Amino acid sequence: MLETDFTALLLTVKLAIITSVLLVIICFPIAWLLANYKGRFKPYFEAIIALPLVLPPTLLGFYLLVAFSPNTLLGEVWHNLTGHQLAFSFSGIILGSLIYSLPFVMQPLLVGFNQVNSQYNNAAIALGFSTSKRFFFLLIPLLKSTILSAFSLGFAHTLGEFGLVLMIGGNIPGETQVVSIALYDHVEALNYQAAHELSLILFAISFICLVLLFKFNRSNLGFRGKNASN
Amino acid sequence: MLQININLALKHFVLDVQFEVEQGIIVGVFGPSGAGKSSLLAAISGVSAGQSVTNRQQNIANLAPDKRGMSLQLQACPLFPHLDVLGNLSFACKHRPKNNNQLALNETVSLLGISDLLNREVSSLSGGEQQRIVFARTLLLGQNIILLDEPFSALDWVKKQRLLWAIKYLAKNKNITFIMVSHSLKELSYCADKMLQLKQGKMTRFGDTEIISQQINNEQGTTHFSFLNFQQPRRLSEHNLTKVSLIDSQQVLYINQFDEKSSYKICVNANDISVSLKLERNSSCINTLQCILVSFQRQQYEVLLFLDVDGQSLLCSLNPLAWQQLGVTTGQTLYAHLHAI
Amino acid sequence: MSMLYNRVSYYFWFVLLLTISSVSAKENLHIAVASNFKAPLEQLLSEAPFVDDIEITLSAGASGVLYSQIIHGAPFDMFFSADAKRPALLKQKELIIKGSIHTYATGVLAFWQPELDSKNNYIAIANPRSSPYGEAAKYYNEHTLKTDLSFVLAHNITQAFQFVDSANAGQGIVALASLKAAYQQQADAKYLAYKVIPADQHPAITQQVVVLKSTNNLASANKVLSYILSPSVQSEIAELGYLKVCSQC
C-alpha cells in the first residue's frame, strides 16, 4: 500500500503546483481588468468567479463528466486536438482543479489590486505613467506578496480536493488517484491503519504550507524594511 | 500656448473654467475647499474625460493621461513603498515618457535640497519630507506641463519658500508650465505669475498675480499679508541674522531665516505689524520701516492700513481700538514695526 | 390562588406535549441503505401493507460510510448493505440481533458496450477494494474476459454506469439493475446493448440486510424484513435486475 500512497502524494503535490501556477497566470490579468472595471455588470462577473466556492464539488464534477464526454463539444474538441480523453486523465483533473480553486486565487488578487489602485495606481496614472510601465514596474512588484498568498491559497485548497476528482478521475494510480481519493479508498476497504497514516502525512503537508503562507504574508504590498509587518 | 475649456457637471455644481496660458507660466488656482480645484486639475489632465484642452493648437482632450504631455500630482500621491527614496526618483527618471525635458537627477536633488534624504526608507519620512520627495519625483518625470494639487501642505513656510522658488526657476529656465492649486493665498502670491480664483466651480477672477491677489486680499475675512522685495543679503553670523536692503531704498531689514535659494522677497503678515507716529530709539524691535499711510479701510473687527514703503505696499491690520488710539490720518508719515520676520 | 393555577396549567401543558410527541399514530423506523438499492427499497416500501403504520426514514450512502457510522453508534434500526462483508463484520462486533442477517438481493453483472465499434479503450468497473460488484468484475476479467483495455475504477457501481453512460468509457461491467432502471426512465436503445454475465463466472454479489441490536422497534423491523424476503417482493426485486433469491432451490 505504501507505494501507491507515495505516488498519490506526489501526484497531488504536482496537481496542486501546476493548478496554482496556471491560476496565478490566468487570474492576474483578469483581476486587474475586473478591479479597473466599474461598469454595471461587475457584480455578475464577481458572482461567476465566486460560484465554485458555493457549488458542491460533486455538482461541478458531475457536469464536467458530461462536458468531457467525447460526444459533447469540449470532449470532442480536446480529442481532436490531443487524441486523448479528458476524463480519467491528469489534464482532466487539472481542468477541474482550475475551476474548483479559481476563487481562492482570484479573491486575494482582487483585494490586492483594489488596494494598489486606491493608493498607488491612481496616482501613477495621474502622473502620466503608461499602462505597460505601471503593470510591469509598479503593480507586479507591489503585488509580489499578494501573488504569493494567492498561490499558496490555491495550492492548499487543491491539496484537499476530493468530490470533483471523485467524479471525473477514475481512480487511476499515477494519473488521477490523488491523496484524498486514496484515503477514501482505504476507508471504504476498511483499511483504517493505512487511512490514518496517509491522513497524517497530508495533514502535515497542509499545515506546513499554511505556516509558510502566513509567515511570508507578513509584508503587505511589498513594503520594505522595519514596517514590513504592517 | 495651453488653452483650457472646461465645462463639467459635478455633484453639486458645474465646473465652468476657460483660460489660456503661455508656455513657462505659473498659474495659481485659489479657492476654498470644495470649490472644485482638484476636479479642475483632473479635468485638465484627462483623468475626467472629454474636456476641451488644446496644447500648441493640438487637441489633447481625447488622449490618454500618459500621452498628454503633462503630469498631475494628486493630493494623495504616495511614494512607492517597494523602493527607497532614491529608488523612487530613479524610477521616475527611468520610466519617463520621451520628451524634451530631461531634468537630471542630481540637478533636481540640489535644486530642492533633498540630498540628505536620498538613502532613507519611504516609511521613515515625515509628512513634509515626503512631500518634497514626491515633488522631486514629479519634476523628474520631465513633462513640460505640471499640475500640482496642494503639493506643499505639510511644509513650514521656510521649506516651502525653497520649493516655490524652485518652481519659479524651472518655469523660467526650463520653460515648464505649472498649474498649482492651493488654499494658501500666501503661497500662490509668492510664486505664481497668474492667479485664478475658483468659487463653486466658477472662475471668478483670472489675471496677473499682483492684481488678483491684491483684490482677494482686500476681501473681508481673508488673512492679510504683503510681500517686500529686497536685495543684497549680508549674513551677520554673530547675531544669526541676515541683513537685507529694500529695493530702491536705503532702508534695511534683519531677517531670521533666509535661504540663498529663494526669491528675494519676504512675506509680512498684516497682523504682525504695529505702527507708531514717532520713532522710538530704545525699543526691542529691530525691524522698523518708515512709511506713508496711503489709505485705510474700516471693516467690522479690524482696520486695514495701506502703507507705502519707498514704493512698495505694506498691509497692516489693526484692532479698531488700536486704530483709535493711534489717531492718525492719511498722508502722514508713520513707522511700521515688523515683528516675527 | 392564581400562582397555584399557573403551576398546574404549566404542568398540564408540559405533560400533554410530552405524551403527544411520544404517542404517535405510527411506529418509527430508521433504515440505512446502500445507495444503489435506495430507489428500489423506497419503491417497495411505499407499496407495503404497513405503509400507514410504520414511519420509515431512509438514509442512503456508501456501505463503507454507513458501516462506519453504525460502529460509532448511529441510531439505525436496519442496515441494507451492498455486500455481505459488512453485515458479517457487524455480526462479529455483536452489533446485530441474533439471526437477523439475510440476503435480500443478489447482484447481476452485465457487460455493457453502448457503441459497438467504439475506439474508446476505457473499461469501467466499480473499485474492487470496496465494492462486491467490482470484486466480481475483477474476478470475471482475470478468469474469463482477460481484456487488455485500460481499467477505470469508479467509486461505486453506479458511477461505473455513469462513466459508460456519459461515453467517457467505451464499455463497462455494470449492474444489470442500473441498465434496467435507466431504460425505464428513458427508452433509449443503448441501454439494451448489454450481455448478462453468467452468475457462475464470478463470486456471488450477495447484498445482505441486518437488524441492529440498537433498535427500539424490533417488531416493525421484523415486519419490514419478512416483507422484503417474501416471495412476491423477491420476484419484484429480480425484475429490477437482480438474481432471484431461491430459498427453495
Side-chain angles (χ1 to χ4, degrees):
Chain A
M1 273 312 134
L2 199 57
E3 209 190 302
T4 47
D5 284 352
F6 191 65
T7 314
L9 273 168
L10 277 180
L11 187 73
T12 309
V13 171
K14 192 168 139 196
L15 175 68
I17 291 179
I18 294 177
T19 302
S20 308
V21 168
L22 283 176
L23 275 176
V24 167
I25 296 173
I26 295 172
C27 291
F28 195 79
I30 297 180
W32 185 46
L33 285 171
L34 194 57
N36 289 322
Y37 173 72
K38 300 200 196 311
R40 55 199 186 100
F41 291 117
K42 189 159 174 165
Y44 297 101
F45 290 133
E46 290 174 320
I48 292 175
I49 287 169
L51 264 179
L53 270 175
V54 175
L55 294 175
T58 38
L59 185 147
L60 291 171
F62 175 66
Y63 282 109
L64 273 179
L65 188 67
V66 171
F68 286 175
S69 163
N71 296 339
T72 55
L73 184 65
L74 175 63
E76 206 177 319
V77 167
W78 186 268
H79 194 262
N80 290 338
L81 280 176
T82 62
H84 293 301
Q85 254 185 248
L86 270 173
F88 321 134
S89 70
F90 188 61
S91 321
I93 60 173
I94 288 185
L95 192 56
S97 306
L98 288 175
I99 298 174
Y100 173 72
S101 296
L102 183 98
F104 288 82
V105 173
M106 189 69 92
Q107 262 317 102
L109 289 176
L110 270 175
V111 169
F113 270 110
N114 281 325
Q115 262 191 301
V116 168
N117 274 351
S118 62
Q119 292 186 54
Y120 305 106
N121 197 35
N122 290 335
I125 293 175
L127 284 173
F129 287 104
S130 70
T131 306
S132 60
K133 296 233 184 274
R134 279 184 285 121
F135 187 81
F136 289 108
F137 298 106
L138 183 62
L139 291 180
I140 292 188
L142 280 179
L143 288 171
K144 267 204 289 245
S145 69
T146 307
I147 294 174
L148 198 65
S149 28
F151 173 85
S152 310
L153 218 53
F155 181 82
H157 191 243
T158 310
L159 277 186
E161 194 178 334
F162 174 68
L164 195 126
V165 181
L166 188 68
M167 296 303 278
I168 60 170
N171 203 347
I172 300 173
E175 185 78 18
T176 61
Q177 189 186 58
V178 293
V179 171
S180 51
I181 302 286
L183 205 67
Y184 181 67
D185 254 11
H186 288 320
V187 172
E188 278 294 283
L190 306 171
N191 187 351
Y192 292 150
Q193 179 60 24
H196 286 317
E197 284 167 8
L198 193 53
S199 301
L200 202 62
I201 299 174
L202 183 64
F203 177 80
I205 296 181
S206 307
F207 188 71
I208 291 172
C209 281
L210 288 175
V211 166
L212 289 174
L213 163 69
F214 286 117
K215 194 164 164 179
F216 288 116
N217 198 34
R218 290 245 140 262
S219 51
N220 286 326
L221 286 188
F223 275 63
R224 296 160 51 100
K226 284 190 297 179
N227 290 348
S229 57
N230 196 342
Chain B
M1 174 70 96
L2 185 64
Q3 287 159 321
I4 312 276
N5 188 343
I6 308 287
N7 197 301
L8 182 64
L10 297 175
K11 204 146 102 168
H12 296 298
F13 49 76
V14 174
L15 187 62
D16 185 22
V17 173
Q18 293 83 32
F19 66 93
E20 59 182 45
V21 283
E22 304 277 340
Q23 188 64 29
I25 293 290
I26 305 169
V27 178
V29 177
F30 176 74
S33 309
K37 311 192 290 294
S38 301
S39 311
L40 174 62
L41 289 189
I44 296 175
S45 78
V47 170
S48 348
Q51 300 303 310
S52 169
V53 178
T54 53
N55 185 16
R56 299 195 201 117
Q57 313 308 106
Q58 237 186 328
N59 189 347
I60 59 177
N62 291 320
L63 292 179
D66 56 312
K67 301 227 179 352
R68 291 193 163 209
M70 53 175 91
S71 285
L72 163 59
Q73 183 183 305
L74 294 171
Q75 238 177 323
C77 192
L79 292 172
F80 303 136
H82 64 296
L83 302 166
D84 66 359
V85 169
L86 185 57
N88 265 276
L89 300 179
S90 316
F91 188 91
C93 290
K94 189 167 138 208
H95 296 293
R96 62 177 113 190
K98 283 197 296 284
N99 53 57
N100 15 5
N101 212 334
Q102 304 287 320
L103 270 174
L105 181 63
N106 34 15
E107 191 188 335
T108 310
V109 166
S110 71
L111 188 68
L112 301 182
I114 51 173
S115 50
D116 56 326
L117 298 175
L118 288 180
N119 293 318
R120 296 270 296 275
E121 290 299 329
V122 163
S123 47
S124 71
L125 298 172
S126 71
E129 288 167 335
Q130 268 187 50
Q131 282 195 331
R132 291 156 70 200
I133 306 294
V134 168
F135 181 55
R137 183 180 65 178
T138 307
L139 291 177
L140 283 168
L141 282 169
Q143 296 286 19
N144 288 315
I145 302 172
I146 298 184
L147 311 174
L148 301 166
D149 196 344
E150 310 262 10
F152 309 134
S153 54
L155 290 164
D156 60 58
W157 178 248
V158 173
K159 295 247 168 39
K160 237 189 258 208
Q161 274 191 303
R162 175 77 175 256
L163 300 177
L164 293 172
W165 173 81
I167 291 180
K168 285 186 87 77
Y169 175 87
L170 291 168
K172 188 165 99 179
N173 295 19
K174 305 277 180 180
N175 213 23
I176 301 177
T177 301
F178 286 91
I179 303 181
M180 188 164 117
V181 156
S182 178
H183 60 268
S184 160
L185 188 58
K186 192 198 281 195
E187 209 170 281
L188 298 177
S189 308
Y190 189 84
C191 87
D193 301 312
K194 299 253 191 236
M195 290 263 293
L196 189 159
Q197 185 186 30
L198 207 59
K199 264 193 194 156
Q200 291 273 87
K202 288 250 162 320
M203 186 175 84
T204 48
R205 287 193 176 98
F206 179 71
D208 290 338
T209 302
E210 291 83 51
I211 303 170
I212 302 297
S213 74
Q214 184 89 296
Q215 289 176 351
I216 297 175
N217 227 344
N218 290 349
E219 273 171 8
Q220 202 170 11
T222 54
T223 38
H224 306 293
F225 57 88
S226 38
F227 286 105
L228 290 175
N229 296 301
F230 56 81
Q231 60 194 2
Q232 297 165 4
R234 288 144 284 174
R235 178 100 182 123
L236 302 175
S237 39
E238 67 273 21
H239 300 300
N240 200 18
L241 289 173
T242 308
K243 181 176 172 182
V244 301
S245 310
L246 290 185
I247 296 203
D248 299 330
S249 164
Q250 305 283 37
Q251 302 201 66
V252 295
L253 286 174
Y254 298 92
I255 307 177
N256 260 315
Q257 288 182 307
F258 172 73
D259 193 340
E260 249 306 314
K261 291 221 166 99
S262 66
S263 300
Y264 285 9
K265 53 180 167 183
I266 184 155
C267 178
V268 185
N269 285 325
N271 286 324
D272 289 338
I273 305 177
S274 64
V275 178
S276 62
L277 200 49
K278 290 212 201 73
L279 182 61
E280 187 70 48
R281 296 240 171 255
N282 290 0
S283 141
S284 68
C285 184
I286 51 175
N287 287 310
T288 300
L289 296 174
Q290 189 182 53
C291 53
I292 299 175
L293 179 61
V294 174
S295 63
F296 63 90
Q297 202 181 79
R298 219 192 290 263
Q299 287 174 358
Q300 192 171 20
Y301 293 115
E302 64 178 345
V303 180
L304 274 176
L305 277 67
F306 295 86
L307 306 165
D308 180 297
V309 182
D310 296 333
Q312 295 196 61
S313 297
L314 188 63
L315 216 63
C316 170
S317 166
L318 291 180
N319 187 285
L321 182 62
W323 166 250
Q324 209 177 28
Q325 189 171 283
L326 181 64
V328 295
T329 52
T330 57
Q332 278 189 273
T333 299
L334 300 173
Y335 293 92
H337 310 283
L338 278 57
H339 312 286
I341 61 162
Chain C
M1 192 59 203
S2 61
M3 219 176 94
L4 180 62
Y5 173 72
N6 282 336
R7 268 237 190 126
V8 170
S9 58
Y10 288 148
Y11 278 129
F12 172 71
W13 288 114
F14 181 69
V15 170
L16 189 63
L17 284 170
L18 211 58
T19 39
I20 284 176
S21 57
S22 52
V23 172
S24 39
K26 300 184 178 192
E27 301 284 320
N28 271 316
L29 214 56
H30 199 167
I31 301 180
V33 56
S35 306
N36 68 355
F37 200 70
K38 180 193 176 203
L41 187 60
E42 229 169 13
Q43 173 69 20
L44 292 168
L45 288 176
S46 68
E47 298 163 349
F50 47 71
V51 64
D52 295 320
D53 308 318
I54 308 180
E55 176 87 32
I56 297 182
T57 316
L58 289 182
S59 287
S63 302
V65 172
L66 293 170
Y67 168 78
S68 298
Q69 289 176 341
I70 290 170
I71 60 173
H72 288 103
F76 295 121
D77 298 292
M78 300 175 75
F79 175 35
F80 281 80
S81 183
D83 60 3
K85 190 157 65 170
R86 290 184 182 87
L89 283 170
L90 286 174
K91 178 177 178 186
Q92 229 175 40
K93 291 189 190 289
E94 292 177 18
L95 289 171
I96 63 167
I97 298 286
K98 214 164 166 180
S100 68
I101 298 190
H102 290 93
T103 304
Y104 64 89
T106 305
V108 174
L109 283 179
F111 183 89
W112 183 33
Q113 195 177 34
E115 220 180 297
L116 232 65
D117 329 304
S118 161
K119 293 198 203 61
N120 187 313
N121 284 336
Y122 288 113
I123 173 169
I125 63 170
N127 193 338
R129 280 183 74 197
S130 50
S131 165
Y133 283 87
E135 216 180 298
K138 181 173 171 203
Y139 183 95
Y140 171 67
N141 179 54
E142 281 169 357
H143 290 83
T144 315
L145 187 62
K146 300 195 188 151
T147 180
D148 48 7
L149 296 168
S150 320
F151 274 86
V152 171
L153 303 181
H155 71 93
N156 61 23
I157 192 60
T158 314
Q159 196 190 37
F161 173 82
Q162 273 172 6
F163 280 162
V164 185
D165 196 21
S166 62
N168 283 298
Q171 45 272 311
I173 301 178
V174 303
L176 178 64
S178 307
L179 289 162
K180 291 215 161 180
Y183 189 74
Q184 262 266 26
Q185 289 235 329
Q186 199 188 352
D188 193 327
K190 72 171 179 176
Y191 297 123
L192 301 172
Y194 64 85
K195 248 181 20 189
V196 173
I197 298 173
D200 54 2
Q201 285 182 5
H202 61 82
I205 306 170
T206 18
Q207 304 196 204
Q208 295 191 319
V209 56
V210 291
V211 180
L212 298 166
K213 218 181 212 165
S214 57
T215 181
N216 290 326
N217 222 326
L218 190 54
S220 302
N222 283 329
K223 268 198 203 154
V224 171
L225 199 57
S226 20
Y227 171 72
I228 294 290
L229 297 175
S230 64
S232 55
V233 175
Q234 284 293 303
S235 3
E236 250 191 273
I237 291 178
E239 282 304 299
L240 292 172
Y242 294 87
L243 209 62
K244 199 164 171 178
V245 171
C246 230
S247 48
Q248 287 94 353
C249 20

